[in-house]
Amino acid sequence: MSYAEFERWRDTPLPHVTLSIVIPAYNEAERMLPTLAAFAVAVSGLNEPWELILSDDGSRDGTATLARGLGWANLRVIEHANTGKGGAVRRGVLASRGDLVLFADADNSTPIEELPRLIAQIRAGAHIAVGSRAAGGAVEAGKSVLRRAVSGTLRSITQFSTGVRLQDTQCGFKLFRGEVARDLFRRQRMDGFSFDLELLYLAARDGLRVDEVPVMWVDAPDSKVDPIRDGLKFLRDIVQIRRVHARRAPETGGGLHIAVVSAYPPGRRSLNEYGLHLSRVLAEKPEVSHVTVIADRLPADRAGQAIADAPNVRRVWAFNDPLSVVKVLWALRRARPDAVIFNLQMASFGDRRVPAALGLLTPMFARLSGLPTITLLHNLFETVDLDTAGFGGHPLKTAVTQAFGRVFTRALLASTLVATTMPRYVKLLRERYGAQNVFLAPHGTFQIPQPPEPLPLLPTVMAFGKFGTYKRVEVLLDAHEILLGRNPQVRLVIAGSDTPNAPGYLEDVRQRYAHLPNVTFTGYVAEDAVAGVFSGATVVAFPYSATTGSSGVLHQAGEFGRGAVMPRIGDLADLIEEEGYRAEYFTPDDPASLADALWRVLSDPRHAAALGEANWRVASGLPLADIADWYLLHLESLIDHPATTAGPRGANT
């Protein structure tokens, strides 16, 4: 090479390049200048218009400043936060312009003079030319016995477990056709040590021609690669690559295959309706090809009944089964989804401490198995009154439950992302646990609301849900008795069933209040009967003494254009303030206060209609179908770049 060729390359920006060279760097200030100089000298004489891209992976020693200070016209420096070698190479490759793209290590372990041999293979028809330290004719200098032993073992495991038949997948000297490189790196997800193997795995699956080229390789004495530590990471990453990429094609197209782990109708556990509608709206999205529901099994008293489950519903776990975590993970392994959404509250897997707690480990283990996970938390231990929610008892047991609750909250935060329905939950998790992988996903209304039905002719109060702990209907029945003295035509409908923590509660109440007229206990309300129950009410009452999360009943009241009467407590107060719902308020556990609040609505049809219309307008602005788009944005980001979102600390959302 003549010095004049280097000067022209150094001083004159090239509008078109045929070759891009990407060098990832992390704290390479001491050896960066010799490497850049070696590349400039060797490549400028190849008669290839070329560019050099230094992708600085969050160096703290001034590597980027040093390189930029050279002022070379065709040297670009890209700076970004530290993610790992794979992330650094990806950013450089996606910024490249060349018809050929090489990435090479900053220590120049494979001398840049080997490049023409790789170019020759590409020009001879290969899609990728891989520098190989193990192919016949390769020369390795300075490699320790330990590194040779580890490399040989990993090579055998790689070939057996991935089907990639190359002798050397990890040499940091690989040349691609430009369009191939940019396509593979758009789909490649790993940011760490094993990104090379992932690229080759994708290439093999695509049927690309990959040629190994024997090269000289010199073990740099200050290499950042630890053979034992990085070897173990490599084994873990092999498992992740297989789980993430070796999937069956979705049955209905090329979109996302999403698994939803949730209670599911006709089961009667908490959040079953939410699981039904979340999976429904996701399946309706054009970006989604298939939704698999990993659902709860029906209890013994319903197991013999006919179940008209859709083909995508798999009932695999049972309430209070300590093995639920194993059964869910096995079902996910068989389903092979692209990502999984867990629809949970703290007692989703049981009302006994051990199965409830073990079940909450499932999202963490799913993520460790390689699945991108979003856990939707409808409540938090820190915001639940354990006595009213059925987990109270002896003060020591309560203290132990609270302590373990904090532990399992941290376990839930090991999901790739955590969604909560309340802004103050996001704030609490970030401030108390340092979690940055948390985002807000409002509850949403199940359907796009249609104009509400007219109010019924007879004044009717309705309460909806699962009763027996913090939702107790005695105060409502006592208020009903007061209302009957004001208007004997007032009706009361108690729609729902017992909470699992209070079996037999409603039947006991029904018998104790059998003397009161105009009271209807509907029992469990099937999904297709929900609209009729809400439309038949003048107002929806919330006889709560505490709250344990965002109220789905309030969103349903809005969906059907009905006003609400509620205590101004906890999450209900937050919903009113933050989402704009309207209600009349009463003092908790005070029948007279509740009767007065109900009477303000029942005695004034215009006021009842105004409350209902206001709530309907709020509900119309928050359909679950729109909330699902928010989930999909996060899921697509996770699937494209899963390593950019970490656990409780250091995550980006």
Side-chain angles (χ1 to χ4, degrees):
M1 182 205 80
S2 70
Y3 188 73
E5 290 171 329
F6 166 70
E7 283 186 318
R8 284 193 295 272
W9 178 85
R10 180 194 66 190
D11 299 334
T12 307
L14 296 171
H16 173 74
V17 297
T18 61
L19 172 66
S20 298
I21 298 179
V22 176
I23 302 177
Y26 177 67
N27 292 340
E28 298 285 359
E30 291 187 3
R31 58 185 176 187
M32 182 50 60
L33 290 183
T35 296
L36 294 178
F39 277 52
V41 168
V43 181
S44 293
L46 294 182
N47 196 31
E48 294 276 359
W50 72 292
E51 65 178 352
L52 184 57
I53 300 173
L54 177 71
S55 184
D56 185 80
D57 192 37
S59 296
R60 299 186 300 272
D61 66 350
T63 297
T65 301
L66 186 65
R68 192 177 287 110
L70 294 172
W72 293 351
N74 295 292
L75 167 63
R76 284 191 283 155
V77 179
I78 300 173
E79 293 185 79
H80 45 82
N82 178 251
T83 57
K85 182 180 178 182
V89 175
R90 181 193 307 117
R91 290 176 175 89
V93 169
L94 295 181
S96 67
R97 299 180 291 151
D99 302 322
L100 302 174
V101 177
L102 173 80
F103 68 79
D105 289 339
D107 58 12
N108 203 21
S109 291
T110 299
I112 191 62
E113 287 79 9
E114 300 284 356
L115 176 58
R117 302 174 63 192
L118 273 65
I119 292 176
Q121 291 301 118
I122 297 291
R123 298 259 160 87
H127 295 94
I128 306 171
V130 175
S132 176
R133 299 161 293 185
V139 177
E140 290 184 290
K143 192 169 189 177
S144 68
V145 174
L146 177 60
R147 291 191 71 166
R148 290 179 188 273
V150 171
S151 296
T153 301
L154 293 178
R155 185 179 305 128
S156 300
I157 294 174
T158 299
Q159 292 179 350
F160 173 78
S161 59
T162 68
V164 176
R165 300 302 177 189
L166 301 182
Q167 295 297 307
D168 183 4
T169 63
Q170 298 309 112
C171 179
F173 198 76
K174 294 181 173 68
L175 182 69
F176 301 74
R177 295 185 187 181
E179 71 277 8
V180 169
R182 289 179 281 271
D183 173 65
L184 289 176
F185 273 96
R186 287 188 189 99
R187 292 185 281 144
Q188 179 265 341
R189 303 171 190 177
M190 288 189 170
D191 283 345
F193 177 76
S194 307
F195 79 100
D196 307 72
L197 176 60
E198 186 185 15
L199 290 169
L200 296 172
Y201 185 94
L202 292 172
R205 196 176 67 173
D206 290 351
L208 302 180
R209 174 180 159 185
V210 182
D211 289 356
E212 280 191 279
V213 180
V215 295
M216 174 180 288
W217 185 83
V218 180
D219 190 8
D222 54 350
S223 171
K224 295 182 173 66
V225 177
D226 181 292
I228 299 298
R229 182 192 65 223
D230 291 319
L232 292 174
K233 289 181 180 178
F234 187 71
L235 293 176
R236 180 199 64 194
D237 290 346
I238 288 175
V239 176
Q240 183 173 347
I241 289 169
R242 285 174 54 87
R243 290 190 184 280
V244 171
H245 292 294
R247 300 190 182 98
R248 300 172 297 183
E251 290 85 343
T252 57
L256 295 175
H257 175 191
I258 298 173
V260 175
V261 178
S262 177
Y264 197 81
R268 299 178 182 178
R269 301 298 175 187
S270 295
L271 304 181
N272 61 337
E273 293 93 352
Y274 200 92
L276 168 69
H277 290 287
L278 177 61
S279 58
R280 173 185 59 79
V281 296
L282 286 170
E284 292 171 353
K285 297 296 181 181
E287 304 94 326
V288 176
S289 64
H290 189 63
V291 173
T292 297
V293 180
I294 309 299
D296 56 331
R297 292 177 176 170
L298 296 183
D301 62 344
R302 293 179 55 80
Q305 299 182 25
I307 304 173
D309 279 337
N312 66 318
V313 177
R314 304 179 185 181
R315 295 191 178 273
V316 301
W317 58 277
F319 196 71
N320 277 330
D321 182 356
L323 296 180
S324 289
V325 56
V326 176
K327 295 174 181 178
V328 172
L329 291 173
W330 180 251
L332 289 172
R333 180 179 179 182
R334 294 183 64 187
R336 295 181 178 178
D338 296 298
V340 56
I341 297 176
F342 289 87
N343 175 47
L344 300 181
Q345 47 105 348
M346 291 300 177
S348 284
F349 291 99
D351 55 9
R352 300 171 189 161
R353 287 174 173 83
V354 172
L358 291 177
L360 296 179
L361 297 176
T362 312
M364 178 180 70
F365 285 122
R367 184 191 180 184
L368 290 175
S369 73
L371 277 172
T373 59
I374 293 181
T375 297
L376 170 59
L377 287 178
H378 290 260
N379 60 19
L380 303 179
F381 270 111
E382 288 79 358
T383 65
V384 174
D385 185 322
L386 295 177
D387 289 325
T388 60
F391 284 90
H394 191 278
L396 179 59
K397 288 185 177 181
T398 299
V400 170
T401 300
Q402 290 172 336
F404 275 95
R406 290 188 288 271
V407 171
F408 285 96
T409 295
R410 290 194 180 278
L412 287 166
L413 288 170
S415 302
T416 320
L417 288 175
V418 173
T420 75
T421 56
M422 305 291 293
R424 71 186 181 99
Y425 293 176
V426 176
K427 182 179 180 182
L428 185 153
L429 292 173
R430 289 179 176 174
E431 292 181 352
R432 187 171 299 181
Y433 294 91
Q436 296 302 313
N437 59 330
V438 183
F439 68 95
L440 176 67
H443 184 285
T445 51
F446 293 154
Q447 307 281 353
I448 296 177
Q450 301 299 312
E453 295 290 329
L455 296 176
L457 295 176
L458 293 176
T460 304
V461 178
M462 190 270 288
F464 186 90
K466 295 177 175 64
F467 302 99
T469 52
Y470 65 94
K471 301 178 183 180
R472 299 183 65 87
V473 296
E474 287 93 340
V475 64
L476 184 56
L477 287 157
D478 291 339
H480 177 65
E481 187 169 14
I482 297 172
L483 291 172
L484 288 172
R486 301 177 185 178
N487 183 348
Q489 291 187 313
V490 170
R491 264 54 178 171
L492 173 61
V493 176
I494 297 174
S497 55
D498 299 327
T499 183
N501 292 337
Y505 165 73
L506 285 177
E507 176 57 26
D508 176 69
V509 170
R510 188 186 66 78
Q511 292 180 17
R512 285 192 284 122
Y513 285 85
H515 63 283
L516 284 182
N518 302 345
V519 179
T520 301
F521 289 83
T522 69
Y524 174 76
V525 180
E527 182 62 31
D528 58 3
V530 169
V533 169
F534 276 90
S535 297
T538 307
V539 65
V540 180
F542 293 75
Y544 300 175
S545 58
T547 59
T548 61
S550 177
S551 173
V553 179
L554 179 57
H555 290 88
Q556 287 177 296
E559 179 181 338
F560 296 105
R562 294 301 182 256
V565 170
M566 61 177 61
R568 193 189 288 270
I569 56 174
D571 299 326
L572 291 177
D574 287 349
L575 281 172
I576 294 294
E577 179 178 336
E578 292 158 3
E579 295 188 11
Y581 285 96
R582 289 183 59 191
E584 288 288 344
Y585 299 102
F586 70 94
T587 303
D589 297 320
D590 185 338
S593 176
L594 175 54
D596 288 343
L598 290 169
W599 186 246
R600 290 194 292 271
V601 181
L602 297 175
S603 63
D604 186 349
R606 289 180 299 180
H607 182 42
L611 287 176
E613 182 179 359
N615 290 343
W616 179 79
R617 292 189 183 279
V618 173
S620 299
L622 284 173
L624 187 57
D626 289 350
I627 307 301
D629 289 331
W630 187 228
Y631 284 110
L632 290 175
L633 285 173
H634 284 86
L635 286 175
E636 289 171 351
S637 175
L638 293 184
I639 292 169
D640 288 342
H641 305 296
T644 63
T645 306
R649 295 186 180 274
N652 300 311
T653 58

